[in-house]
Structures are given as structure tokens and as C-alpha cells.
Amino acid sequence: MEVLKIATAGSVDDGKSTLIGRLLYDTKSMTDDKLEAIERTSKQKGYDYLDFSLATDGLVAEREQGITIDVAHIYFSTPSKSYIIADTPGHVEYTRNMVTGASTSQASIILIDARKGVIEQTHRHFFINNLLRVKDVIVAINKMDLVDFSEETYNNIKADFEELMKKRDYQDQNITFIPVSALKGDNVVNRSKEMPWYKGQTLLEHLEELDQKDIYNTGTPRFPVQYVIRPKTDDFHDFRGFAGKVYGGELNVGDEVVVLPSMTRSKIKDIYFYNKHYKTAPRRSSVTITLEDEVNVSRGDMLVKADDLPTIDKQLTATISWMDSASFTPGGKYTLQHGVNKVLAKVDAIEHKIHPDYSGIEENVTSLQMNDIAKVRLRLNKPIFYDRFKDHRTNGSFIIIDSRTNTTAGVGFIE
Amino acid sequence: MREVAAQFEKPVLLFSGGKDSITLVRLAQKAFWPAKIPFPLMHIDTGHNFPETIEFRDKLVEELGVELIVRNVQDSIDEGKVVEETGKYASRNMLQTTTLLDAIEEFKFDACIGGARRDEEKARAKERIFSVRDDFGQWDEKNQRPELFDMLNGEIEIGQNVRVFPISNWTELDVWSYIQKENIEIPSIYFAHKRNTFLRDGLIWSAEDDVVFRADDEQVEERMVRFRTVGDMSCTAAVESHADTIDKVVAEIRNSRISERGARIDDKRSEAAMEKRKQQGYF
């Protein structure tokens, strides 16, 4: 069955968790025992409605404050599709988790509180979706029940959002507007009786029809070697297999490949998936490849087709999203992880920072703080084999690890 | 699995004999074939396991030719490190944490692969695939590393370890469908069978052993049951079922209105039972 991965984004109290709870409830994906637990706790708290956010806010601190702190992954299915929703927090200070959620999602839902309209946070959400090249964006204008289901309010918000869209870099994005009330269940799964003026699809109808674009289906095949398999058993004495995952197109037996960085050429002899042979390794498949020649390959090397080499360089320019409480400074040394490959990186310069409301850029910036997004130049101790993010989602991105604390401190998109 | 084998010095696969860890074993076989699984399995044995599970475990390990490490909660009790609970709801489930953390320290394991799934419980829904634990085995749920795209950061300091959840994004139905598709053998208690049972708090408990405390007024009756989850006997209830083949089990799960953890009494202790256990180092 198809799986659609969705990230949600919205400000605090825009009702993301409620929307997800509503989706689960109206598609009957919530089991009886979980529903009973929600009924029980809602009653204890003295609410006269079911607080669906209790289903997704899994941490004590979240329930105490009534906010979502960390990404939760929620699963539900309809007869035609399975869904994984990354319920990501809306607070400014949790931007990093929003980037995390969006990095693996095919579609995104941006929530707007109908009473508040487009706010600075909406700019941020849209910018991140645009930066990460999320193809399908649904703008759910929520809490329509609190603005008397007004068509005019909806149209004004829509017009404001369309202004935002003029500023985007990535043009090839499908944007759909839906007026909803997550609390009352209008236009989430069931069509609203209160908004006869809205002729479009409900949220679920729209999700069900979304074309399942494979977000990893960009660019040509890249095969980073994760692990070299050498059984040295009697049956497989000379077996040397290169285990990894195919990103981008596909690899076939007989393909002429180049091993990076050594630039040695060989041909694919066999493709194994467990104990069976295959002629083709499609994109996103985890396989083990053997080559015709005895070539030296180790973890972090990459197999690519001979007629399509990536850029091999020690310097790169990238947009980074900084996620650490320790600031990012020129002269600072970091570990850069590109796929499974790790190299040392030095910050050459911060070219400019993007304004928090994404209205423009700020130059002469000396350091980046948590949740800043900026364009930087990096120098590496060894070359990596990269593509630009717009051409190759996986081979064009990297993470930055703070070598002192080992934490994942930032993510970068190569230009 | 390959990332674990490549990034860590001493990984281990936590094996309970349940369907999720059996699935992990198959995935590990696949990841490294034709080589053997390059890490041992470890079972933290509460001493309250279903005998069918233990029998199954030993057979599987022999077939795979991998090392099995067993550490017993009973030993931790005998050493006075933990105190057994008493009363009607006594369970050894909580006590496992101490035994697990001691074993991690004993063997200096730096990565523990586990079969937890995000759909099991709402605190689990917050887990990363690579989840760092400190010296004390504790989970800092508010300060987790961001995980982006497919890149897994396994850098840790000495003393820390990483809990690894390869099937995080699978649902209970996904696991069952995979077992069906791959034709994987599982312990017999997962299939419907006749068993002496009694009712408590609306749940069905096994009365065939003395692990679950049974009051005199709790009537033993034979019922057709199976287990949806195979945890410690003291906190795992059965469900009424006639599903005696894998196809029937898959069909049953597909139509179920009760979640898998609905039969786990340990999660009903409070709204945050799982989160609290995880902070203390529970897997």
C-alpha cells in the first residue's frame, strides 16, 4: 500500500494536534482504548469537548503546557492509503524540529488561525517548506467556527498568503487552501454544512488524491557505500559486497560505474537483496552490489554511473539551518556528514542571513544562533562528491555535527 | 542495521522473543547476507517469560549461529539491586531496566538495537531512530538530536550509548504483514489456543502458572485466546481469538478496535507510564 508522509506546521494554539486527532477520529483510526483514555482525561480536565491533542502530545511537559515540543509520528490509514504525519511544533524555538519533520515528508499542512490570519510564523513555515522543496503544501485555515465561517475572512487570508508566494525561490509547488474547523470537524474528513460557499475538497479527500511523488526521485543514481560485506566463509570465500542504498535513479547489472574518490572504473557484476539476485536495483532500495574487478572500496565511498559524475570539491556554498544552542561562527570547526561520509569542515564565511520574517537578507553577520537560516561558505579537509540540493535531494544535503558535543547542530542544502 | 555495524564498536540486538525483535533479526540477516549478523543478541530475562518464547529463542539462535547473551532480572533481585513488587499488580517489567543498564555497562555496549515502534505508545512516537542515552542510561526527551533525511549521527562520548529503533516507522499491522510475506516463524502463543484463564479489570490473564497473582474469587475458565504482544507474563494479557494462522492474525489486526498496548497493564499505571520508564533507561 502507498504511504504518504506529511508534516504539519502552525503556530502555538493553531490546533495542529487537534487537527490530527480529528483526522484519526473521523477516519475511525483511533482505537477504542485510546479514545476512552482521551474521554477520561478530557473529563478530568473539565473540558466539555474531546481534547484530541492528548492523543499526540506524548510528553508530560507537553500536556502540562498544552503545546507540542517535539515531533511525534502519527499513523493512520484509509482503505487506499497509509499515512504518517509528523506533528511538528509551532514555537519559534522549535524551528529545528519543523525542519526535521519536513525533511522526510512528501506533503505539508500549514495551519493558520482564521482569527489571526497570516503572521510571522506563517512566513517561516512557508519559507522552510520552500527551502526543503516540499512539493504539495496544504494551507488549512482553521478555527473557521470562531469567525462565523466567514467566506470573506477566508478570502482575505488566502490573498495574504498569495502575497507570500511571490517571494518563494522554488516555484514548482502545488498550494491548496482549505477552510476547516478541526474542533468541530468541518472539512477535515466530513464536508462542512456551515461553509456552503466552499466548493473544494475536504482535507482527507485532497490527501487521498495527492499524487505520490517520490521525494527522492530526483537526479541520477548515487550509491554511497555503507558497509563492506566480507563473509570469508567456505561458501563465500572471495565475496566482497558493497552494501548501501540507491538514491536517485536505478542501477543495473552490467552498468559501468566509477568508484569515488579513487575514480576506479568497473562494472556491476551482481545485485543482491538478501539471498536473491536481481537485474535492477530501483531507487530507495537497500542492496548489496558486487563488482567485476577487484577494486578497493570502503565505507563512505560512492558508486556512480560513469557518464554522470557529481561535483567533487573541498569547498561548497550552502544554505544552512542552525539548530544548536551554541552559535555557529566563522573559524569554528565542525564535522560535516554527507550521506554516510564524514569530513572536517571549517566555516569560511557567512555570506548573509535570512531575516526572521523572510522579508530580505542581512549582511555582515558574524555568527548564527539557533533557528537562524543563512548562506555560508565551507571548506573541507577532504573533497566530497555532491550534487546541488535542487538536483538531488539526498546527495545535495548534509548535517553539521559539533565535534565537541557530538550533537547534530545544523543542516545544509548545497547550492 | 548497517549504520549501527559501521558506526559503533560494540552493538547488540535486544531480543525478547517477541514478533518485533524476531522481525529485527530477519532484517539483520538481510542487511549482512551472506555474512553472519555481526553482533550478538541479548535477552533481558525477567524470569517470567512464556516457556514457548524461551524455547523459540534458543532454537532461533542455534539456527542463526549467533551469540546469545542472557541476563536475568532474578540475579538483580538476588543481588539486592532491585526489590520485587508485591500485591495484585506486581510485575517485573520495571525491574528490567536495572538489569539492562547493568548489562550495557558490563559488556560496554555502545549501541542497543530494539524493536520499539512509534505507533505503540505516544511517548514512543517521540523517539528518534538513533536515540542517545547518557551515562545513566537516561533519555532526555526534550533535547533530542534532530534527524534529517536519512543521515544518522552516531557520534557519542564514552559512557553514552545509543538506542537504535530500525522499525520505528512500522505499525503493528506492518510487522504482521511482513511476517506473513516473509513466512517468518514466531512463537505459538501468538496464535489462538485453549488456555486456562481468569478475568480481571476486563482483561484476560493466563492462569497456567503462578506468575500472575490470582485472588481466590477470580474464577479460572478455559478460553480460546492468543497474545498480541509477548512481554513479561505478569503484565501481558491475552485476547479472545480464533486466529490460528498468520493470515487470520493479519485479518484480525486489520479489523481490531483495540490497540496493541491495550493489553499491557504496565502502560495503564498512569498517563505518562512509558515516558517515565524511558527516562529511567527502559528500552
Side-chain angles (χ1 to χ4, degrees):
Chain A
M1 198 161 33
E2 286 185 301
V3 179
L4 183 72
K5 287 189 176 178
I6 308 163
T8 58
S11 280
V12 196
D13 291 332
D14 280 352
K16 289 182 303 296
S17 303
T18 308
L19 181 75
I20 293 170
R22 173 59 68 181
L23 267 172
L24 295 179
Y25 183 70
D26 284 354
T27 57
K28 308 205 164 31
S29 303
M30 204 182 282
T31 53
D32 292 344
D33 55 319
K34 285 189 180 155
L35 196 58
E36 270 165 36
I38 290 172
E39 280 167 358
R40 201 170 48 234
T41 315
S42 296
K43 213 183 229 171
Q44 273 171 14
K45 293 194 168 188
Y47 300 151
D48 53 1
Y49 56 91
L50 295 182
D51 182 4
F52 289 124
S53 65
L54 294 167
T56 60
D57 287 342
L59 305 173
V60 173
E62 293 180 324
R63 290 191 294 272
E64 273 170 8
Q65 301 172 48
I67 56 162
T68 307
I69 294 175
D70 200 351
V71 182
H73 293 81
I74 315 294
Y75 305 80
F76 77 99
S77 55
T78 61
S80 60
K81 249 184 217 172
S82 286
Y83 295 90
I84 303 178
I85 304 186
D87 181 18
T88 60
H91 274 265
V92 182
E93 60 264 42
Y94 301 119
T95 298
R96 59 181 204 159
N97 293 330
M98 220 159 59
V99 177
T100 305
S103 80
T104 51
S105 295
Q106 289 141 296
S108 160
I109 301 173
I110 296 179
L111 268 97
I112 294 179
D113 184 331
R115 296 169 305 172
K116 297 180 194 152
V118 171
I119 55 170
E120 189 182 306
Q121 276 288 75
T122 318
H123 290 247
R124 182 181 289 267
H125 298 147
F126 183 60
F127 181 84
I128 288 169
N129 276 306
N130 202 256
L131 177 69
L132 282 149
R133 309 185 90 73
V134 177
K135 182 107 186 163
D136 289 291
V137 177
I138 299 150
V139 182
I141 299 168
N142 190 26
K143 307 201 180 181
M144 288 301 290
D145 53 314
L146 299 180
V147 294
D148 296 326
F149 301 101
S150 153
E151 182 177 11
E152 196 192 341
T153 308
Y154 168 77
N155 283 334
N156 289 341
I157 294 171
K158 194 175 158 201
D160 287 348
F161 197 94
E162 278 160 351
E163 275 305 303
L164 262 187
M165 285 155 64
K166 292 180 184 157
K167 285 193 249 169
R168 64 184 168 173
D169 272 354
Y170 169 53
Q171 295 295 334
D172 199 12
Q173 214 167 17
N174 307 319
I175 302 188
T176 311
F177 297 90
I178 306 177
V180 301
S181 164
L183 193 70
K184 310 268 180 191
D186 292 76
N187 288 338
V188 179
V189 172
N190 304 313
R191 188 155 285 281
S192 171
K193 290 191 187 75
E194 312 285 347
M195 292 179 273
W197 47 266
Y198 174 72
K199 305 289 179 217
Q201 293 175 306
T202 65
L203 177 62
L204 186 70
E205 281 167 1
H206 181 73
L207 294 175
E208 290 278 275
E209 275 184 21
L210 265 194
D211 186 12
Q212 218 95 6
K213 303 249 179 7
D214 189 331
I215 51 171
Y216 297 97
N217 187 23
T218 52
T220 43
R222 303 286 183 232
F223 188 77
V225 175
Q226 278 183 292
Y227 197 80
V228 180
I229 295 177
R230 296 218 57 188
K232 292 185 186 159
T233 54
D234 292 345
D235 293 346
F236 297 96
H237 194 75
D238 296 319
F239 187 97
R240 258 168 62 87
F242 309 112
K245 200 166 180 177
V246 184
Y247 292 103
E250 57 178 43
L251 290 171
N252 293 288
V253 169
D255 281 351
E256 196 170 332
V257 291
V258 174
V259 181
L260 301 173
S262 69
M263 297 295 276
T264 326
R265 276 169 183 257
S266 186
K267 268 187 183 160
I268 295 181
K269 187 176 160 195
D270 234 323
I271 295 169
Y272 293 92
F273 182 55
Y274 195 26
N275 50 8
K276 293 197 182 74
H277 305 254
Y278 290 87
K279 282 253 168 301
T280 299
R283 61 171 191 267
R284 298 289 290 163
S285 58
S286 283
V287 295
T288 300
I289 288 175
T290 57
L291 297 177
E292 284 189 354
D293 309 281
E294 278 285 319
V295 288
N296 187 9
V297 180
S298 43
R299 176 175 161 89
D301 289 358
M302 187 184 277
L303 306 185
V304 297
K305 281 199 181 173
D307 56 3
D308 193 0
L309 300 182
T311 307
I312 302 171
D313 205 343
K314 283 168 77 168
Q315 284 182 52
L316 50 94
T317 304
T319 300
I320 65 164
S321 162
W322 194 246
M323 303 175 151
D324 202 20
S325 49
S327 57
F328 175 83
T329 43
K333 275 187 205 156
Y334 298 95
T335 301
L336 182 142
Q337 183 175 346
H338 172 244
V340 298
N341 204 0
K342 281 181 187 156
V343 295
L344 292 177
K346 216 172 163 189
V347 187
D348 259 358
I350 299 172
E351 287 198 351
H352 60 247
K353 193 174 109 175
I354 316 279
H355 267 308
D357 68 352
Y358 308 105
S359 55
I361 56 168
E362 203 175 310
E363 283 177 40
N364 304 319
V365 178
T366 51
S367 70
L368 300 180
Q369 314 306 322
M370 193 196 275
N371 297 315
D372 279 346
I373 293 176
K375 193 168 172 179
V376 300
R377 284 203 313 271
L378 296 169
R379 200 148 37 89
L380 314 174
N381 74 327
K382 277 191 297 191
I384 59 167
F385 343 110
Y386 67 85
D387 294 289
R388 295 194 299 177
F389 183 70
K390 71 186 193 66
D391 299 326
H392 210 290
R393 207 176 157 85
T394 36
N395 205 41
S397 52
F398 58 82
I399 55 173
I400 297 171
I401 300 170
D402 185 325
S403 316
R404 296 160 306 165
T405 59
N406 293 326
T407 188
T408 302
V411 57
F413 311 95
I414 304 173
E415 297 199 354
Chain B
M1 298 270 188
R2 290 165 174 171
E3 282 307 295
V4 174
Q7 293 199 42
F8 297 94
E9 299 277 328
K10 271 211 96 179
V12 67
L13 190 151
L14 301 177
F15 185 77
S16 68
K19 63 179 191 316
D20 299 309
S21 52
I22 293 169
T23 300
L24 286 183
V25 168
R26 172 57 60 91
L27 292 172
Q29 275 179 289
K30 286 192 165 185
F32 302 105
W33 186 91
K36 275 187 190 168
I37 298 173
F39 35 76
L41 309 188
M42 179 162 77
H43 185 204
I44 301 299
D45 190 339
T46 59
H48 288 174
N49 285 286
F50 293 95
E52 293 92 331
T53 313
I54 299 296
E55 205 178 291
F56 179 89
R57 174 195 81 186
D58 293 340
K59 203 178 103 198
L60 181 74
V61 167
E62 203 182 306
E63 278 168 20
L64 293 172
V66 294
E67 186 194 352
L68 173 74
I69 297 166
V70 181
R71 284 294 174 271
N72 297 300
V73 171
Q74 187 63 51
D75 294 339
S76 304
I77 296 172
D78 294 346
E79 288 162 23
K81 286 182 174 164
V82 289
V83 178
E84 187 134 39
E85 296 180 346
T86 53
K88 196 168 166 183
Y89 294 101
S91 160
R92 285 187 170 184
N93 198 42
M94 282 278 282
L95 311 185
Q96 281 183 74
T97 303
T98 303
T99 316
L100 171 65
L101 296 181
D102 284 350
I104 289 172
E105 207 169 302
E106 177 188 348
F107 293 98
K108 307 253 180 300
F109 290 129
D110 51 5
C112 305
I113 304 168
R117 305 188 323 268
R118 287 169 175 157
D119 77 326
E120 281 179 77
E121 213 276 341
K122 57 191 172 193
R124 284 239 157 112
K126 301 280 176 179
E127 267 296 358
R128 298 289 189 262
I129 293 172
F130 272 23
S131 181
V132 180
R133 304 298 158 105
D134 66 13
D135 280 20
F136 301 95
Q138 288 179 318
W139 182 49
D140 182 358
E141 75 288 356
K142 283 177 216 133
N143 192 23
Q144 301 195 69
R145 287 180 186 172
E147 255 172 20
L148 297 129
F149 302 98
D150 272 359
M151 285 174 277
L152 296 167
N153 169 10
E155 302 276 333
I156 49 167
E157 278 167 49
I158 292 173
Q160 289 181 323
N161 67 80
V162 171
R163 303 291 168 86
V164 183
F165 305 110
I167 57 168
S168 258
N169 270 335
W170 296 32
T171 61
E172 184 190 13
L173 185 60
D174 291 337
V175 170
W176 282 113
S177 305
Y178 187 74
I179 288 170
Q180 182 184 33
K181 187 184 115 210
E182 294 274 317
N183 204 8
I184 301 172
E185 219 185 309
I186 49 170
S188 56
I189 53 166
Y190 279 119
F191 299 114
H193 56 281
K194 279 194 181 137
R195 185 176 277 265
N196 286 323
T197 57
F198 67 94
L199 282 179
R200 174 191 297 161
D201 302 340
L203 297 174
I204 304 167
W205 298 91
S206 175
E208 290 195 349
D209 37 66
D210 51 9
V211 169
V212 188
F213 171 85
R214 184 169 55 79
D216 291 340
D217 59 347
E218 290 174 318
Q219 285 281 321
V220 176
E221 247 181 274
E222 194 180 74
R223 287 186 178 85
M224 192 70 167
V225 296
R226 64 177 207 90
F227 291 87
R228 245 172 108 174
T229 152
V230 176
D232 187 74
M233 274 195 286
S234 60
C235 60
T236 312
V239 289
E240 277 200 290
S241 169
H242 290 278
D244 53 2
T245 64
I246 182 74
D247 294 348
K248 287 184 197 168
V249 168
V250 172
E252 188 183 280
I253 301 287
R254 210 180 278 280
N255 295 314
S256 174
R257 295 293 309 140
I258 300 288
S259 75
E260 179 183 358
R261 292 232 154 226
R264 289 288 282 265
I265 199 75
D266 45 332
D267 291 337
K268 297 202 166 170
R269 290 188 170 192
S270 83
E271 182 80 8
M274 173 73 91
E275 181 181 348
K276 280 191 191 136
R277 272 183 285 145
K278 283 162 70 71
Q279 283 164 350
Q280 287 157 7
Y282 185 74
F283 112 90

